[in-house]
Amino acid sequence: MRLRRRVIQAGLVVVGLSLLAAPATAQSVNRAAIDELNAQLLYVALPLTLFVELTLVYVIYRFRNNDDPKPTVDDPALEVTWTAATGAILVFVGVSAFVVMANPYITPAAAETSADGGDAFTNDTEIDVLAYQWGWEFSYGEANITTEERLVLPADQNVTFRLQTTDVIHAIYIPQLGVKQDIFPGRTMTARTHATEPGEYRLYCAEMCGAGHSKMNATVVVKNQSAYDTWMENQTAAAG
Ligand code: CUA
């Protein structure tokens, strides 16, 4: 009995800790949408998992000494109920995921083609990203600035990335900002974000692209507007 109580207590501690370990506030609009979807699905999945597992344990315990098992009888009402319930859950998961996928920060290409001829993000800060074996180059078109291995972003602003590669397929991946996009040779891909927290983040290549793939990283620095403007001026002055 004491052992059983210990096991139950340990189980409760694990559940409690996993709830406390919920993600901290998101660092971008993208990341917030993804985290929200994750939590939403978790709140549906967790009670279902508990229900199924507890039923299973109960049935094993309840019928452990059943020497005379009877065949299952048809129960149309029950079968209709669990089929409909499963269908409703799948529709909920599908619709929730679709709403996040259709978010113009998560899939900007779809928003752009449906808007008036690609003019959807004219107020965004536009940054050209060039991926190559093995590194990253970031160009700020209007300011005529190019940086290597260091991507500086303004906080609280929409940013559109125009992504190109000089050689093979690469993928830009900034986990903390919820940005991930494959970059194909001969095409210009689009990614978008809206960072909310100034700070330093990591950027990775997320597509196996040869011997230097694991070193194809960069630092992302999100600066508030005045720090960003100062950085711009310094870069322009240094270039001139
Ligand atoms: Cu570029 Cu992996």
Side-chain angles (χ1 to χ4, degrees), residues 131 165 167-171 182-185 205 207-210 213 216:
T165 164
D167 35 55
V168 300
I169 303 175
H170 302 275
D182 278 353
I183 312 167
F184 304 110
C205 175
E207 192 70 69
M208 181 60 195
C209 56
H213 163 69
M216 198 171 154

Side-chain angles (χ1 to χ4, degrees), residues 11 20 35-36 51 56 58 65 68 83 87 92 98 101-102 108 113 119 126 129 131 167-168 179 188 198 201 208 213:
L20 283 177
D35 286 349
E36 205 175 300
F51 172 71
L56 181 67
Y58 168 76
N65 292 325
D68 184 23
T83 306
F92 170 79
F98 183 82
M101 288 298 287
T113 41
D119 287 344
E126 206 168 293
V129 178
D167 35 55
V168 300
V179 172
T188 301
Y201 308 107
M208 181 60 195
H213 163 69

Side-chain angles (χ1 to χ4, degrees), residues 23 25-37 106 173-179 193-194:
T25 41
Q27 291 94 345
S28 78
V29 173
N30 310 35
R31 190 54 205 256
I34 294 167
D35 286 349
E36 205 175 300
L37 174 67
I106 306 281
Y173 183 34
I174 315 170
Q176 285 160 303
L177 299 184
V179 172
T193 195
H194 182 122

Side-chain angles (χ1 to χ4, degrees), residues 53-65:
E53 294 306 319
L54 289 177
T55 308
L56 181 67
V57 170
Y58 168 76
V59 168
I60 291 172
Y61 180 77
R62 172 82 170 71
F63 299 102
R64 68 195 182 286
N65 292 325

